[in-house]
């Protein structure tokens, strides 16, 4: 019932506060939706799947740790481009890693092939910039997450990506896979990033997303090679292992390979 669902959510939220990671927020959202939208005391399959995930988190999650605050933060900026032409789509992703002193130390710049574009935009909509921007963020976390042993600040110029990461919620099917994969990385790496928006004109990742690397090379940043297809396979694997309990399904047909 409505009051039972709210009591359960409160207790689950308290328990999740003692376990590292934010994946539980996706599960709690389903319980909240049942309380306010269900109109029935029968749990939906989505709510049952979410509760199974929450149980798994409480059984296997690491305890939340109290650490001394760190005054040194690493910074990451990410960006993507998606520009349809008459018979072709130019899409690319870019990311820049900044040391605590604010200097860019590394970057990646990768064009997305048509197979990757189809995976990110299975409905062939007019634009898939949201999905591309989200994928760029995952690639940056996968590539540099282990380098940020202290505090990490992630900047994107896409408000929808920022909001999805803060709320741990999205209704977009592709973005949900990316979201769960990023959350699993946070848990594994014991990171609690701060997500913020950077204006496009101030986003140094805008250049590599358009395959322009000259500026960053002049600034002394090192180019890190990135295979988007391999990153996508890792993403699907992570989304599958965590997302099975959220109703997320992945298939071999979605997977790509580097040429």
């Amino acid at each position: 019932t409505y009051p039972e669902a709210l009591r359960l959510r409160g207790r689950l939220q308290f328990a999740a506060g003692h376990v590292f990671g934010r994946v539980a927020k996706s599960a709690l959202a389903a319980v909240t939706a049942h309380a306010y939208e269900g109109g029935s005391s029968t749990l939906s399959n989505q709510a049952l799947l979410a509760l199974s995930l929450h149980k798994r988190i409480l059984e296997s999650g690491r305890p939340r740790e109290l650490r001394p605050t760190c005054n040194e933060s690493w910074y990451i900026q990410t960006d993507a481009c998606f520009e349809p032409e008459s018979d072709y789509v130019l899409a690319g992703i870019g990311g820049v890693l900044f040391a605590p002193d604010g200097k860019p130390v590394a970057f990646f710049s990768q064009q997305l092939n048509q197979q990757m574009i189809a995976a990110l935009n299975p409905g062939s909509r007019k634009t898939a910039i949201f999905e591309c921007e989200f994928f760029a963020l995952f690639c940056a976390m996968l590539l540099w997450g282990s380098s940020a042993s202290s505090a990490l600040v992630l900047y994107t110029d896409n408000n929808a990506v920022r909001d999805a990461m803060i709320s741990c919620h999205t209704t977009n099917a592709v973005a949900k896979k990316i979201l769960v994969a990023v959350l699993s990385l946070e848990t594994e790496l014991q990171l609690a990033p701060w997500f913020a928006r950077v204006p496009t004109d101030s986003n140094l990742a805008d250049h590599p997303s358009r395959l322009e690397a000259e500026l960053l090379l002049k600034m002394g940043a090192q180019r890190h090679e990135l295979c988007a297809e391999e990153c996508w396979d890792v993403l699907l694997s992570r989304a599958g292992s965590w997302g099975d309990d959220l109703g997320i399904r992945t298939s071999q047909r979605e997977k790509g390979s580097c040429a």
Side-chain angles (χ1 to χ4, degrees), residues 136-157:
L137 187 148
F138 170 80
C139 290
M141 279 281 289
L142 183 64
L143 189 62
W144 297 316
S146 59
S147 301
S149 56
S150 55
L152 176 64
V153 181
L154 271 159
Y155 289 99
T156 173
D157 58 14

Side-chain angles (χ1 to χ4, degrees), residues 176-193:
K176 191 168 189 178
K177 296 176 185 177
I178 304 174
L179 171 62
V180 173
V182 175
L183 293 176
S184 76
L185 271 175
E186 285 185 16
T187 302
E188 178 183 308
L189 299 172
Q190 293 282 285
L191 288 174

Side-chain angles (χ1 to χ4, degrees), residues 215-252:
L215 175 62
L216 285 163
L217 290 172
K218 288 181 179 179
M219 297 177 74
Q222 180 182 359
R223 181 170 191 152
H224 285 187
E225 295 302 323
L226 180 81
C227 176
E229 291 79 7
E230 289 181 358
C231 290
W232 182 248
D233 288 347
V234 172
L235 185 152
L236 292 181
S237 176
R238 286 182 171 274
S241 61
W242 283 94
D244 281 347
D245 292 324
L246 279 175
I248 295 176
R249 295 290 181 264
T250 58
S251 68
Q252 292 295 323

Side-chain angles (χ1 to χ4, degrees), residues 4-182:
E4 289 173 337
L6 294 184
R7 283 198 298 269
L8 176 62
R9 183 190 66 177
R11 290 167 180 169
L12 291 176
Q13 193 167 13
F14 175 81
H18 297 277
V19 179
F20 189 88
R22 301 189 300 142
V23 183
K25 291 186 70 174
S26 294
L28 291 172
V31 179
T32 304
H34 170 80
Y36 289 100
E37 302 169 10
S40 168
S41 60
T42 302
L43 290 169
S44 66
N45 287 335
Q46 182 75 358
L48 289 170
L49 289 167
L51 288 172
S52 297
L53 172 62
H54 205 293
K55 180 174 182 288
R56 177 178 170 185
I57 293 168
L58 295 178
E59 290 174 340
S60 61
R62 291 179 57 178
R64 188 174 297 276
E65 300 174 2
L66 298 179
R67 301 176 179 177
T69 56
C70 180
N71 293 325
E72 290 191 345
S73 299
W74 287 78
Y75 306 90
I76 292 176
Q77 291 183 349
T78 62
D79 201 8
C81 74
F82 189 92
E83 299 175 354
E85 304 293 339
S86 56
D87 57 350
Y88 179 76
V89 175
L90 174 62
I93 56 174
V96 183
L97 174 68
F98 298 84
D101 62 3
K103 294 181 180 178
V105 295
F107 72 94
F108 67 82
S109 175
Q110 179 66 46
Q111 183 173 355
L112 302 180
N113 61 30
Q114 297 307 300
Q115 186 178 4
M116 273 301 312
I117 294 173
L120 290 167
N121 188 23
S124 300
R125 293 179 294 109
K126 187 174 181 179
T127 182
I129 188 61
F130 170 55
E131 293 85 350
C132 291
E133 296 262 14
F134 217 155
F135 182 51
L137 187 148
F138 170 80
C139 290
M141 279 281 289
L142 183 64
L143 189 62
W144 297 316
S146 59
S147 301
S149 56
S150 55
L152 176 64
V153 181
L154 271 159
Y155 289 99
T156 173
D157 58 14
N158 188 285
N159 285 335
V161 171
R162 179 203 60 186
D163 294 345
M165 284 308 312
I166 292 174
S167 66
C168 295
H169 176 72
T170 176
T171 57
N172 182 296
V174 173
K176 191 168 189 178
K177 296 176 185 177
I178 304 174
L179 171 62
V180 173
V182 175

Side-chain angles (χ1 to χ4, degrees), residues 185-212:
L185 271 175
E186 285 185 16
T187 302
E188 178 183 308
L189 299 172
Q190 293 282 285
L191 288 174
W194 180 274
F195 296 95
R197 184 183 183 276
V198 58
T200 299
D201 292 342
S202 302
N203 190 355
L204 280 185
D206 178 65
H207 294 277
S209 74
R210 301 177 184 278
L211 312 182
E212 301 169 3

